[in-house]
Amino acid sequence: QVQLAESGGGLVQAGGSLRLSCAASGMIFSIYTMGWYRQAPGKQRELVAGITSGGSTNYAASVKGRFTIFRDNAKNTVYLQMNSLKPEDTAVYYCNADRSVGWQSYDYWGQGTQVTVSS
C-alpha cells in the first residue's frame, strides 16, 4: 500500500532552517503531484507548497521566498527546505500525494512531522 513517511521536523530558533523529507513507497512516485501542508493548533490545514510531476511549483504567499519544494524521483522523495523560519511557521507539516485521472482521484497523506519555531 501507499506510504508517505515524513522526517526532519524539530525545534529551531527564529531565523533558522530545517529541511523536511517525505519518502514515498507503494506508488509510482514520479507521476504524482506532491505537496506539503501544515496545520497549526486551532487552525485549518493549509497548503504550503506543491510540485507537479513536471516540476512546476507553487507556494503559499506566507512562505514564498523562504521555502523551497523539490523532488528526487530516483529516491521517491520530496523535500521542503525551510529558511528564515518564523514562530508563525510552527505547525504539524504533512506530506501529500495527489493524482487525478478522469473522474478518479488518488490522494494520500503522511502522518505529519512537528515543526516548532521559538522566538
Side-chain angles (χ1 to χ4, degrees), residues 19-79:
R19 177 178 290 186
L20 305 183
S21 300
C22 172
S25 60
M27 58 187 277
I28 304 174
F29 178 79
S30 62
I31 65 175
Y32 278 77
T33 290
M34 301 300 297
W36 286 97
Y37 290 71
R38 67 187 180 187
Q39 187 166 19
K43 295 189 176 181
Q44 288 191 332
R45 191 173 295 189
E46 63 174 356
L47 175 67
V48 176
I51 183 167
T52 68
S53 57
S56 298
T57 59
N58 66 292
Y59 297 91
S62 59
V63 307
K64 198 170 291 186
R66 299 188 297 123
F67 291 11
T68 302
I69 187 171
F70 57 102
R71 64 193 297 163
D72 185 338
N73 289 340
K75 295 183 177 180
N76 288 356
T77 302
V78 62
Y79 304 91

